[in-house]
Amino acid sequence: MARRRQAVTIKHVAADAGVSLQTVSRVINDEPNVRSAMKARVQASIDKLGYVPSIAARRMSGSRSYLILAINDRDRTIADWTARQGTDWVDQMLLGGMLKCAEYGYRLIFELVDTHSDHVERELRATIAALQPDGVILTPPHSDNPLIVRLLERQRIPFARIGSRGEGAGIALVMDDESMARHATRHLIDLGHRRIAFIAGSSEYPLSQWRVDGWESEMRAAGLPTAGLVAKGDFTYESGAAATRQLLGHPDRPSAIIASNDQMALAALEVARELGIEIPSQLSLVSFDNTPIVRFTQPTLTAVDQPVAETVSRAVEMIIKAQRGEKLPPQPVIVAGGFVERESTSAPAHG
């Protein structure tokens, strides 16, 4: 019978490097006041022996848990998962968060919480007590839930608020929604469109209004009308369909529509098809999100690319810096998005 390989422990590292256990622990935990030469010496032994410190051992050596808790909205996340329609917000969260955590020797824990529940404080308090995270990442609409924000502030846990402009406690990060909406609007204006409509997202999310503001400011800067060109949605396919019917039923219908997420854009695409309106020759369409599904529609959708992974990555980095007492950049931290031009936009038929 083959002998099991003996696990490499911190004692082996200390012996190989010729230092104390405490020194190895300080290097592993990236504590201050450790000379660079000593760090290099210990790290060389770690690399040579293939030592991987366990989170349990690291937690015992100090006050940190090496866990970052990311919280997403339960109802909307479960609805997206159940529908299996190509939304990938959670995938991008995990991509950005897990990779950045790994750089620092942390782990990302993902939890779903119902922001509308009367028991949200009790639920979150129990989660924090069980995990003892070093920091928490809040996503909309949790980012602006006063019950959640006050609880984390009282707990004195560093936390990031994605989609929040920094009113109150926590580290504020935004994905520059207003600027991205201006960019999408400018793209359509440059193509020659003059009546550009906007399907807004749920009013529960501040970013919905920021996107409308970006569209409106760009339209006004170009001297173009905005009256009657905003339709309300709530980020669902059904609301996007209703909003599109409203806009396209207008006697002077728009020649272009910007939808505040991919699901509503997909609905707009289908409604236009039902009405016999060709995209893009008779109606240009731009979406927010740029989830995988927009690359496989007919025609493929021009879209604002939300930097979800990069934003969560930045959130992790700043939480760890805050936990260490390091200086943070001015807030809100703005993470720039992208814009991908595909087949759903073109010059309007009249020009």
Side-chain angles (χ1 to χ4, degrees), residues 10-316:
I10 192 172
K11 292 182 179 180
H12 295 109
V13 175
D16 186 79
V19 299
S20 67
L21 294 175
Q22 289 81 2
T23 298
V24 177
S25 178
R26 290 171 63 197
V27 171
I28 291 170
N29 291 307
D30 198 21
E31 294 181 10
N33 304 321
V34 179
R35 290 182 292 111
S36 58
M38 184 60 69
K39 285 185 178 180
R41 182 173 165 184
V42 172
Q43 188 60 51
S45 293
I46 289 173
D47 295 341
K48 182 176 77 172
L49 299 175
Y51 173 65
V52 179
S54 70
I55 287 182
R58 297 175 77 191
R59 293 181 73 167
M60 291 176 65
S61 68
S63 59
R64 282 180 278 176
S65 68
Y66 296 93
L67 297 176
I68 301 293
L69 173 64
I71 298 175
N72 215 43
D73 183 54
R74 176 183 290 139
D75 289 348
R76 187 171 294 278
T77 301
I78 291 175
D80 288 343
W81 283 343
T82 303
R84 302 181 70 179
Q85 292 179 330
T87 54
D88 69 340
W89 170 276
V90 173
D91 289 349
Q92 292 299 307
M93 278 185 66
L94 295 176
L95 171 63
M98 292 177 73
L99 291 180
K100 183 57 65 173
C101 278
E103 285 183 28
Y104 287 90
Y106 280 66
R107 293 294 183 271
L108 186 75
I109 304 294
F110 182 76
E111 292 281 336
L112 299 179
V113 173
D114 182 7
T115 195
H116 302 105
S117 171
D118 294 336
H119 308 297
V120 65
E121 285 185 276
R122 184 174 66 189
E123 184 178 352
L124 186 54
R125 191 179 293 111
T127 300
I128 290 171
L131 297 174
Q132 294 293 307
D134 283 340
V136 177
I137 297 173
L138 301 178
T139 60
H142 299 315
S143 305
D144 290 296
N145 185 319
L147 296 176
I148 294 176
V149 171
R150 284 199 299 266
L151 171 61
L152 294 175
E153 187 177 16
R154 289 195 301 268
Q155 296 271 351
R156 297 185 178 180
I157 300 172
F159 63 99
R161 300 166 64 187
I162 292 176
S164 178
R165 286 186 171 169
E167 298 178 2
I171 303 163
L173 301 97
V174 294
M175 288 185 272
D176 209 8
D177 295 89
E178 189 170 337
S179 177
M180 291 190 291
R182 287 200 303 268
H183 187 111
T185 307
R186 171 51 55 186
H187 168 71
L188 293 168
I189 292 172
D190 289 344
L191 286 173
H193 293 276
R194 295 296 174 262
R195 287 188 60 78
I196 302 169
F198 199 97
I199 302 177
S202 170
S203 58
E204 184 179 15
Y205 298 75
L207 58 84
S208 295
Q209 185 59 48
W210 301 341
R211 294 174 184 178
V212 173
D213 292 343
W215 161 82
E216 188 172 43
S217 67
E218 197 65 29
M219 292 287 283
R220 287 181 174 173
L224 298 177
T226 59
L229 290 173
V230 177
K232 293 183 178 180
D234 61 11
F235 292 129
T236 63
Y237 183 96
E238 293 74 18
S239 72
T244 304
R245 292 183 194 283
Q246 174 189 330
L247 292 169
L248 296 182
H250 195 281
D252 187 13
R253 75 185 188 204
S255 64
I257 294 176
I258 301 172
S260 198
N261 80 331
D262 285 346
Q263 292 301 308
M264 295 192 297
L266 292 173
L269 188 65
E270 183 59 30
V271 169
R273 185 176 290 116
E274 291 175 4
L275 296 176
I277 298 172
E278 293 185 3
I279 293 179
S281 60
Q282 294 176 300
L283 177 71
S284 283
L285 184 59
V286 176
S287 180
F288 261 83
D289 287 345
N290 196 36
T291 55
I293 197 169
V294 301
R295 290 175 290 172
F296 303 106
T297 57
Q298 292 294 328
T300 55
L301 289 178
T302 294
V304 169
D305 187 41
Q306 286 203 96
V308 178
E310 174 62 21
T311 304
V312 176
S313 177
R314 293 284 297 278
V316 167

